[in-house]
Every structure is written in structure tokens, then in C-alpha cells.
Amino acid sequence: MSNYTHETVPTQFVEANGVRYAYRRFGKPGTIPLLFLEYFNSNMDGWDPDVTNRFAADHEVILFDNAGVGASGGKTPHMVAEMTKHCVAFCQALGLKQIHVVGFSLGGMIAQQLALEHPQLVGRLILLGTGPRGGEGMTFTELSAEEQADPVAFLLGAFFSPSEASQTAGREYMKRLESRKNDRDLPVSRDSAVAQLAAIREWGTIPATGRYATLKSITHPTLIVHGNKDIVVIPINAFILAEHLPNAQLIMYPDSSHGAFYQHRKAFLEHVRIFLNDGDSAVPDQNAIKFSVA
Amino acid sequence: MSNYTHETVPTQFVEANGVRYAYRRFGKPGTIPLLFLEYFNSNMDGWDPDVTNRFAADHEVILFDNAGVGASGGKTPHMVAEMTKHCVAFCQALGLKQIHVVGFSLGGMIAQQLALEHPQLVGRLILLGTGPRGGEGMTFTELSAEEQADPVAFLLGAFFSPSEASQTAGREYMKRLESRKNDRDLPVSRDSAVAQLAAIREWGTIPATGRYATLKSITHPTLIVHGNKDIVVIPINAFILAEHLPNAQLIMYPDSSHGAFYQHRKAFLEHVRIFLNDGDSAVPDQNAIKFSVA
């Protein structure tokens, strides 16, 4: 398994509760796997090979299509909480005891819900371009299921800032996305995108009471990464997460939008490495303590 | 010079315009020096030896008492802009062509002013626990010149969060501050503290128009480091800096107050190393370009 790369790892399938989940698993065996949760309207091919391959040098990497997405069977739910249940079923089907979760945008919402409801399953959280439940400007009134009819224009406009440096980084990112030639994932169906959008909007709705109240219960060591000019999930949401999560470090990159961590991937990869190896997290890692006592 | 440490480097003096400035200079010769600018009511002994010594492995380090502070002569001005002039005079007296500036709190205000008025002198900025001119809650109505009558209580209360982990880090920090036994700096006089406080409050006053307007002119690669529970300079100020400075990366640490970078110094030292070696800053370093063309 460890000789595979983002480009060569075969798509596999595992079944749970009648749903057949598509995934790709590669990287360093015997480590706590990094489970990658995708953004709106994307599939396993949407991850930057330069990021996944570098992570794979030190960690097992699992890319995964949630129910109804890409090559996975089943139906995409209309709620983040339901997507989270599929995620748990998938982990159980693979026999995973603990994972670190890398969630981008919608994936970061599922990651938070997963940590909240299944704290023992999650080691560390990496939240990319995402926001809290009921965050600021998170009902995405301008987003539509047809958003990616022109994927190049969509990605250059939403993931990268208008600066020449950012746009250049965007074009390089899109070139890298093509490096996997065979066994590409299936596109996200319109039905799946519509359901995802409903789920995102439900997540983004400001609750009548207790806004941000659940965040204090997510005690996992967390790394929040955001672009200071993110036009999809506005940057204040990353700040709110950092203020309310008890053990979260925030890193915000300059001149960058929703794809900040791709644009600044050299620094990002080093920042993640430091975070995953961190010895001086302020709040003790509850899971780690439990393991050492057990 | 390179064999000196924070503990052993002798205090030196240099004179400019009739003012005798105290400084300590050590670390790796032939590099762009890191100039350390102090916080309110502190002197050269207020820097964590564990931080300065690690920086000194790769960079020249210059600690410096501004006019009227500690062992320096002259009179502490009532304006950040005037403190900045002393800083420039000091650099000129030492013949420094370019410096990276590490400014903590008040020092970070001077660092911003320095970058704004003398862009060629500054390479990179590291802004610790500071905020923009006219930031949020920055008139420090609760601060007084007598604040440090009980320095232990002041530092544990203002620099560290109430958590046990943070308080423990605080006590370790204060122990490290005592590692320099000889040739200690002189205390900050009450007159100097009163003047500093006036300068901080003037800086923090919200202007009638153009709030944050000057920040776009500070194009230097900048690293902003802040605690997510900073009770001295509230964290939103770091976020505002990251939003308005064209080329600033923000790192915010969990469960930490004004001394966040001391509490999380292991991660902090790595983050600074990455920042100073960074090859993928979004906006090209204007100074670097000018130097390579010249």
C-alpha cells in the first residue's frame, strides 16, 4: 500500500448499511490515518496531489466520497449531521479506531460534528476554509448547484484572490489536479450538489439561542487554516472558531481566498507537520491521556 | 560576538543626537539583525532567554532600550511616532542598513510606524500581541504606570490565561527571566512608564477618519502572533491587522493571553523560522526585488 501515490492508488469500495463508499487509501502504514473530507460539489480528485502526497510520506491518507457523492452509492443527505453518520459508518466498516480529520469547507463542518458526537474517534482536527454552525454569512445565498459548470472560472474566482500571484498559484493548482490520469472519480451529480447545498445552508443558519455553544465541547487539538480574503467562508468565521474552540490554533494566510492552503502550500505543509508533532499544545490531549492510562 | 548568549552578552552603548542608547547584540554575524522592541514598562531583561537564544542561532539579535527606558539616556516621548525616530537614530548610529523587527505590544506599534515611515530599513515584521493604530479597545483604561508594582501577579495575570497549563508556563517563563545574573538592565522609571502609557493611548485612539487606512502601505512580509484570550490587546486586533496588511500571516495560539508566544514558544520558534525562510509569500518582497535589481 505504501508505494501508491495520489496518482496511482486504486479506488476501493467498502459497504456499510447498504451503502457502497468509494475511497482511496495510501501513505505510511501503521500511523493514525488522516481522513480527508471534501468541499461542496467536489470528489476525491479535488484534492491537490502535492498536498496529499506530502502528507502520505508521514501518515496514512484516506480520501473518501460521502454517500451519494462521486463514485459512492447511496443518497446525499440534506443535513451535515446525517453526512457525519455516513462518515462514522465508513470508518467502522474499515475498522478505524482513531483518525485525524482534514475537513475543507463542507468537510470541515462534518469534521466538527464528528468531533462533537464521536470524540473518541477523532485525534486531531484540521479545519480548512470552514466555519462554525450558525457562523457569519454562511447561508451562501450566491452559491448554486450549477456553480461548477465552468470549473476553471469557479476555482480561479472562489479559491484564489484576484492578485496575479494568487491567480498564478490557482492555475498551477488546477494543472496538478490533472496529474492523476487513470481511474478518475465520477462527477458529483446535480442531485447530490443540491442536497449538499441544503446541508450547508442548514449548518449556516443562525440558531435562536446558544450560538457557538457547542464549540466548547470540541476539546481536540485543532488547526484552523483560512485565507484572509476568503470570499466563500468569510475570514471572521475562522476567528470565531479560534475564539470558541478550547484548543485551536489559527493560521491565516495573506492575499488568499478559499484555497489559501493550496496557494501557500509550502508553509501549510510545514505548519501541519508542526501541529501534528506538537509537543506544547496548551490543553492536554484528552485522547492521548486516555490511551496512555489504558 | 557570536559566542555570547542572552545571559552573557554585555550591555553596550551608542550615542546619537545626544542620546545614549543601551543595547545588547549577539547571535550569528553577517545576517540581517532581528531588532527586538519591548513592551510597556519593560527593559532588555524582559525577553525570554529561551526565545532570544534560539533566534541567535540563525540571526543576529539586538535588544534595545528606547530613549528614557532602562539603561538608556534621554527622555521617553509621549508618542509612538517619536519613539520610532529614536529607533531610527539608534539603527543609523549602529550603521544598520536593514533589520527585521520583532515588536511586542508597544514594540509592535513602533514596528508598524517604522515600517510605514522607513520601508527600506525594514525587511520583515514580527508583530507580537499588538494592534493597529486606533484598534479595538486599545486605550488601555485599566493600565497604570504602577502596574508592575507586583510583577509576578502582573505577568501571571496579563501574559498567561487562568488555565493551569498557562499559569505553569508563566511560572517557567518568569524563572527563565532570571537566568541572566550579571549586568542586568536598570528598571523602567515611573516617568518613562507614564510617557509610554500616554504614547500607547494616543496610538489606540480611534481617528475621526481613515481608520486602518495606513495599514495597506505596510507591504513588508509580516508575521502576526497573538493569544486567543489576550486580555491586554484583545485578539480582534490581530485579525484586523491580518485583514488590512497586504502581506501578513496571522498565527493565533489557544488558551493564551498577552504572552502567547512564550507559552507556545516551541511552536512559535518553528513558525518564525518558517516565516523568515519563507519562499512562497503571496506578495513579492519589494525590498528583495529592489536589492536584486540594484
Side-chain angles (χ1 to χ4, degrees), chain B residues 14-17 19 21 64 83-95 114 121:
Chain B
V14 66
E15 201 170 309
N17 308 325
V19 179
Y21 299 102
F64 157 65
M83 294 172 173
T84 305
K85 285 181 188 163
H86 282 289
C87 203
V88 173
F90 169 75
C91 289
Q92 287 171 341
L94 286 189
L114 195 60
L121 179 60

Side-chain angles (χ1 to χ4, degrees), chain B residues 21-197:
Chain B
Y21 299 102
Y23 69 100
R24 298 177 189 154
R25 188 173 182 171
F26 59 113
K28 190 175 177 178
T31 57
I32 297 175
L34 294 167
L35 179 68
F36 283 66
L37 302 181
E38 297 152 7
Y39 68 94
F40 165 67
N41 218 344
S42 79
N43 62 22
M44 292 185 285
D45 294 334
W47 295 104
D48 187 338
D50 209 26
V51 166
T52 53
N53 282 332
R54 304 261 193 115
F55 280 157
D58 296 320
H59 304 273
E60 206 173 20
V61 164
I62 301 177
L63 314 183
F64 157 65
D65 283 340
N66 211 313
V69 176
S72 280
K75 206 169 168 313
T76 301
H78 287 66
M79 293 266 290
V80 168
E82 296 301 315
M83 294 172 173
T84 305
K85 285 181 188 163
H86 282 289
C87 203
V88 173
F90 169 75
C91 289
Q92 287 171 341
L94 286 189
L96 302 173
K97 295 279 176 261
Q98 194 175 44
I99 48 170
H100 300 316
V101 187
V102 182
F104 177 22
S105 200
L106 168 60
M109 300 167 193
I110 299 170
Q112 291 172 62
Q113 193 67 21
L114 195 60
L116 186 66
E117 292 189 24
H118 300 272
Q120 298 305 316
L121 179 60
V122 177
R124 290 178 173 241
L125 286 175
I126 299 177
L127 303 178
L128 310 173
T130 194
R133 188 157 177 68
E136 287 291 335
M138 283 181 60
T139 50
F140 306 98
T141 45
E142 292 180 14
L143 214 59
S144 84
E146 287 77 24
E147 196 68 68
Q148 295 211 35
D150 181 349
V152 173
F154 172 78
L155 289 176
L156 285 180
F159 277 33
F160 297 89
S161 89
S163 79
E164 200 183 307
S166 190
Q167 290 293 304
T168 301
R171 285 186 292 268
E172 289 169 0
Y173 158 71
M174 282 188 298
K175 228 177 279 173
R176 291 194 300 274
L177 291 185
E178 293 165 18
S179 70
R180 182 181 173 97
K181 302 295 179 196
N182 301 315
D183 186 24
R184 301 272 302 181
D185 203 349
L186 297 179
V188 180
S189 71
R190 192 175 181 288
D191 280 356
S192 176
V194 166
Q196 286 184 340
L197 202 49

Side-chain angles (χ1 to χ4, degrees), chain A residues 133-163:
Chain A
R133 189 158 178 65
E136 287 291 333
M138 284 182 61
T139 51
F140 305 100
T141 43
E142 290 180 16
L143 213 58
S144 84
E146 286 77 24
E147 196 69 69
Q148 296 211 33
D150 182 350
V152 173
F154 171 79
L155 289 177
L156 285 180
F159 277 32
F160 297 89
S161 89
S163 79

Side-chain angles (χ1 to χ4, degrees), chain A residues 1-79:
Chain A
M1 180 188 291
S2 57
N3 286 331
Y4 285 125
T5 64
H6 182 101
E7 287 81 1
T8 62
V9 60
T11 303
Q12 297 183 76
F13 296 90
V14 65
E15 201 170 308
N17 308 326
V19 178
R20 190 170 173 256
Y21 299 101
Y23 70 100
R24 297 177 189 153
R25 188 172 181 171
F26 58 113
K28 189 175 179 179
T31 57
I32 297 176
L34 296 167
L35 180 67
F36 283 65
L37 302 180
E38 298 152 5
Y39 68 94
F40 167 66
N41 217 345
S42 79
N43 62 23
M44 293 185 285
D45 295 334
W47 294 105
D48 187 337
D50 209 26
V51 167
T52 54
N53 282 332
R54 305 258 193 115
F55 280 157
D58 295 321
H59 303 275
E60 206 173 21
V61 164
I62 301 177
L63 313 183
F64 157 65
D65 284 339
N66 210 313
V69 176
S72 280
K75 207 168 167 313
T76 301
H78 287 66
M79 293 265 289

